[in-house]
Amino acid sequence: MAGLLQLNKPRLGDLLVQKGYLSAEHLDEALAQQHSSGGMQLLGEIVVAQGYCSEDQVLECVADDCGIPYIRLDSRLFDPRAVELLPREFLEKNCILPLFKVRQTLTVATAEPSNIFIIDQLRQISGCDIQLAVASSRDIRRTFQMYLPNSKVFVIDDIIDDVNTEAVELIEESIDDISFDVDLAGQSPIIKLVNYVIFSAVRDGASDVHIEPTERQIRVRYRVDGALHQALELPLHIAPAIASRIKIMATLDISERRLPQDGRIHVLMEGRPIDLRVSTLPLPHGEKVVIRILDSQKINLTLSQLGFSAEILEKFIAQIHHPNGIALVTGPTGSGKSTTLYSAINAVTSMEKNVCTVEDPVEFQLPMVNQFQVNEKIGLSFAAVLRSLLRQDPDIIMVGEIRDNETARIGIQAALTGHLVFSTLHTNDACSAVTRLINMGIESYLLAASLNMVLSQRLCRRICPKCKQSYEPSKAMQLAMGKMGMEAKEFFRGVGCKKCRNTGFSGRVAIHELLVVDDGMRDLIAQSPALGELKSYAQKQGMMPLRFDGFRKVREGLTTIEEVFQASDEGWLPLRG
């Protein structure tokens, strides 16, 4: 709705009421809201945001008020040659669609008929007189994508919510010929189906989409809050068309079905960019496609909102503001390491500092940060980018992942020469990061001199607030919690409701374990200690293991004790003496 209505004439509300699109009561409420905002909100935007009217209904009344025709776009209403009269980038940026040219008059569709500046630009660029028609921004973007596609960006706004398998049953024959497969992948039912799968996955907050051809059907599953659940079942014979459509969007080779492929898709949904990472892998009944969804709206860049316990957050913030050294975040794939690192980078970024990242791939764009992407195919590895980056006068460096000795060694040298280095490592707990780096071949004395902290984290599913109820967990679990000195007066879990898809969970909460490297720990690391020695020393210095922080979240009613047990090892050593 951004910039939907620059008109806010007094007659708009009356027109909506006269046409039966808006009740008098809703009009009064909308006018009161507009008045309370000091006139900063437009009436049309208010009634659409409140769900009183649709965007199409409001635009229809705006068009009537201006004496301009309102149209519903389809392929018969415009001449593709008219689009060539104006730069494609200009049209998409301003959401304008040239419809046709008659003599020296160019008719264009716009969602902002009152924007006189754009109309003047249209006259200057085209050299024609401009005749306006009003159409919704959604219709204009959809028309561009469906009939005038851009090879780089796919707009998936206008999704028909009632898409079902009947829509794709228009395709009746199995697909063997690749040329036919290409044609079929571009047919509207397949486009709508793939768009619907992506749209509903983003709407449901999924991190991944799995499209799996089985012996009898295609199984579509979404990973929501770390767990997969089935979303759709589709006819098996359209599997090649779906895979080909996704490959076309990701600019992959649709003729290659025997080898795995990886690619990226950039889409627009509700006006915001979303990146999709695509991976294909051959199965006996077709190609499995997995789509990783990178939604910038979902990433939380505020440390205080990441679920840190107060004492851990205080120590963590102190560590990331050190002038130099290495700060590591560890955990398995999907444990939120990247989100934590992005949040840490965001917290220390300023105009006075040169902040750089080396990633594979760049997942989210950060303001005031120079982000470099690894490309192994051309020899641009983490180590290669990092070596060049050190000549770019950085203050703070984030390395997406320490994978090998060379990357680790360059990162440590950077930390020892006055840089603050953030990175991730795949280990089970904080102390294991030390032994992992030593086993990679890093000299223990160098590690002792450069390492500042290690944060280990996991994600537990958060109890759904709508169906949250108290319950009694098993005695064994309560006893294990008591061994760590933690007790809860009441335990909670979700019983399942429509909002949480009957899972009892909605969203996730992080549990943490923070190892702060003090002088005693540095002396110990320099001696290449065993993992048990490191854990024992860290515990004596007050480090609480993952499970302890998880039990705190249980006591606060955020997650269940079963989730904490599933996400963490005990990580607790009996103290001697």
Side-chain angles (χ1 to χ4, degrees):
M1 275 296 295
L4 167 64
L5 300 175
Q6 301 304 321
L7 282 174
N8 187 19
K9 295 185 177 180
R11 292 191 57 203
L12 176 59
D14 296 333
L15 284 170
L16 289 166
V17 173
Q18 289 171 17
K19 288 182 175 287
Y21 297 153
L22 183 69
S23 69
E25 293 78 11
H26 284 160
L27 175 58
D28 290 340
E29 291 175 15
L31 289 172
Q33 182 176 334
Q34 185 184 40
H35 179 72
S36 66
S37 71
M40 297 299 293
Q41 288 184 283
L42 301 176
L43 182 63
E45 291 180 340
I46 292 171
V47 296
V48 173
Q50 294 296 332
Y52 299 155
C53 298
S54 69
E55 179 184 354
D56 291 316
Q57 291 169 339
V58 173
L59 282 172
E60 181 184 337
C61 291
V62 170
D64 284 352
D65 203 16
C66 296
I68 298 172
Y70 173 74
I71 59 173
R72 297 289 186 102
L73 292 172
D74 65 39
S75 59
R76 295 165 293 181
L77 275 178
F78 72 95
D79 180 358
R81 290 173 296 182
V83 178
E84 298 173 5
L85 297 172
L86 294 158
R88 174 66 177 258
E89 185 178 350
F90 172 81
L91 295 174
E92 291 186 339
K93 179 182 178 181
N94 296 288
C95 201
I96 294 170
L97 177 66
L99 299 177
F100 44 82
K101 180 184 175 186
V102 178
R103 296 185 177 89
Q104 281 302 110
T105 300
L106 177 65
T107 301
V108 301
T110 176
E112 299 184 48
S114 64
N115 193 332
I116 58 175
F117 302 105
I118 294 297
I119 296 168
D120 284 342
Q121 283 185 280
L122 284 169
R123 288 195 187 98
Q124 293 171 10
I125 297 172
S126 66
C128 300
D129 294 328
I130 301 299
Q131 176 70 44
L132 294 181
V134 178
S136 71
S137 57
R138 183 186 65 247
D139 271 1
I140 293 172
R141 288 195 298 267
R142 180 194 60 182
T143 303
F144 267 117
Q145 177 53 41
M146 189 166 290
Y147 302 109
L148 304 160
N150 184 325
S151 62
K152 295 181 180 179
V153 178
F154 295 84
V155 180
I156 58 172
D157 263 352
D158 188 39
I159 308 299
I160 299 174
D161 282 331
D162 59 357
V163 169
N164 53 39
T165 54
E166 292 178 5
V168 273
E169 284 175 1
L170 298 169
I171 305 158
E172 296 177 353
E173 299 179 10
S174 61
I175 303 163
D176 292 317
D177 183 61
I178 287 175
S179 60
F180 177 58
D181 190 3
V182 176
D183 294 337
L184 190 57
Q187 289 183 8
S188 182
I190 293 296
I191 291 174
K192 288 181 179 178
L193 178 61
V194 172
N195 285 356
Y196 173 76
V197 168
I198 297 171
F199 173 83
S200 58
V202 174
R203 179 194 60 197
D204 292 351
S207 61
D208 300 88
V209 179
H210 291 244
I211 303 172
E212 305 161 317
T214 64
E215 187 176 358
R216 296 182 180 178
Q217 77 275 326
I218 303 168
R219 183 173 59 213
V220 180
R221 296 190 290 171
Y222 298 159
R223 186 178 295 279
V224 181
D225 297 336
L228 285 169
H229 71 90
Q230 185 156 313
L232 292 170
E233 283 188 359
L234 303 171
L236 181 61
H237 62 266
I238 63 170
I242 291 175
S244 292
R245 172 60 185 165
I246 294 170
K247 285 181 178 180
I248 289 169
M249 294 172 73
T251 62
L252 300 177
D253 184 359
I254 63 170
S255 65
E256 180 55 74
R257 301 180 182 177
R258 300 167 299 171
L259 296 174
Q261 295 188 67
D262 297 300
R264 295 193 79 163
I265 303 172
H266 306 284
V267 302
L268 290 173
M269 183 169 149
E270 297 174 349
R272 76 178 191 269
I274 296 172
D275 281 354
L276 309 173
R277 281 157 51 185
V278 176
S279 173
T280 69
L281 191 66
L283 292 177
H285 303 288
E287 288 179 283
K288 174 173 178 175
V289 181
V290 176
I291 303 172
R292 167 66 57 88
I293 298 170
L294 303 174
D295 186 355
S296 58
Q297 274 200 350
K298 288 178 63 180
I299 188 167
N300 193 332
L301 296 180
T302 306
L303 286 172
S304 60
Q305 296 176 341
L306 288 183
F308 280 96
S309 299
E311 62 181 88
I312 293 180
L313 178 60
E314 184 180 353
K315 293 177 182 177
F316 182 72
I317 290 175
Q319 291 298 315
I320 64 175
H321 283 90
H322 278 207
N324 53 60
I326 293 182
L328 295 176
V329 180
T330 73
T333 300
S335 60
K337 299 188 300 296
S338 294
T339 299
T340 300
L341 274 186
Y342 278 133
S343 301
I345 287 289
N346 198 55
V348 299
T349 298
S350 70
M351 190 59 71
E352 292 76 29
K353 293 179 180 178
N354 178 17
V355 183
C356 304
T357 72
V358 185
E359 304 172 63
D360 183 22
V362 174
E363 294 191 5
F364 299 103
Q365 297 293 329
L366 298 174
M368 293 191 297
V369 176
N370 303 294
Q371 296 174 267
F372 302 93
Q373 183 157 317
V374 168
N375 188 342
E376 297 282 359
K377 293 180 181 178
I378 60 172
L380 201 61
S381 63
F382 273 110
V385 178
L386 198 49
R387 274 195 301 269
S388 298
L389 189 58
L390 290 175
R391 295 191 286 273
Q392 293 277 319
D393 186 32
D395 296 296
I396 300 171
I397 302 169
M398 186 190 96
V399 183
E401 183 183 345
I402 293 179
R403 295 179 178 175
D404 51 43
N405 174 279
E406 189 177 10
T407 305
R409 191 171 294 279
I410 296 171
I412 286 174
Q413 291 297 334
L416 292 172
T417 53
H419 304 87
L420 181 61
V421 180
F422 295 94
S423 191
T424 69
L425 201 61
H426 288 285
T427 61
N428 292 329
D429 53 51
C431 292
S432 296
V434 175
T435 55
R436 173 67 58 84
L437 289 168
I438 292 174
N439 290 337
M440 277 186 181
I442 301 300
E443 291 83 353
S444 56
Y445 67 91
L446 290 178
L447 183 59
S450 59
L451 187 63
N452 288 347
M453 66 146 217
V454 183
L455 178 77
S456 180
Q457 72 177 52
R458 301 287 190 280
L459 294 177
C460 296
R461 289 183 293 176
R462 189 186 291 266
I463 299 170
C464 174
K466 290 287 185 182
C467 58
K468 184 176 180 179
Q469 291 184 6
S470 61
Y471 81 113
E472 190 72 17
S474 69
K475 295 295 183 184
M477 289 189 174
Q478 293 185 57
L479 182 62
M481 191 170 171
K483 284 183 178 179
M484 288 193 173
M486 296 288 291
E487 292 183 1
K489 294 180 180 179
E490 195 173 10
F491 295 89
F492 296 93
R493 68 179 174 186
V495 296
C497 64
K498 185 176 180 181
K499 183 189 176 189
C500 63
R501 303 172 306 282
N502 292 314
T503 63
F505 299 99
S506 178
R508 288 188 285 181
V509 62
I511 60 175
H512 301 96
E513 169 183 281
L514 180 63
L515 170 66
V516 176
V517 181
D518 58 13
D519 290 340
M521 178 64 80
R522 293 189 194 282
D523 292 339
L524 186 60
I525 292 174
Q527 300 168 25
S528 300
L531 181 59
E533 295 178 77
L534 286 169
K535 286 186 176 182
S536 178
Y537 180 86
Q539 182 183 335
K540 288 177 181 177
Q541 297 306 113
M543 184 190 81
M544 296 299 175
L546 280 167
R547 186 165 289 182
F548 184 87
D549 191 46
F551 288 156
R552 283 194 286 210
K553 303 297 195 307
V554 171
R555 190 170 62 183
E556 294 167 14
L558 298 176
T559 189
T560 67
I561 193 170
E562 291 85 358
E563 277 291 301
V564 173
F565 271 91
Q566 187 174 347
S568 63
D569 294 323
E570 186 169 349
W572 189 272
L573 296 175
L575 290 172
R576 299 189 187 94

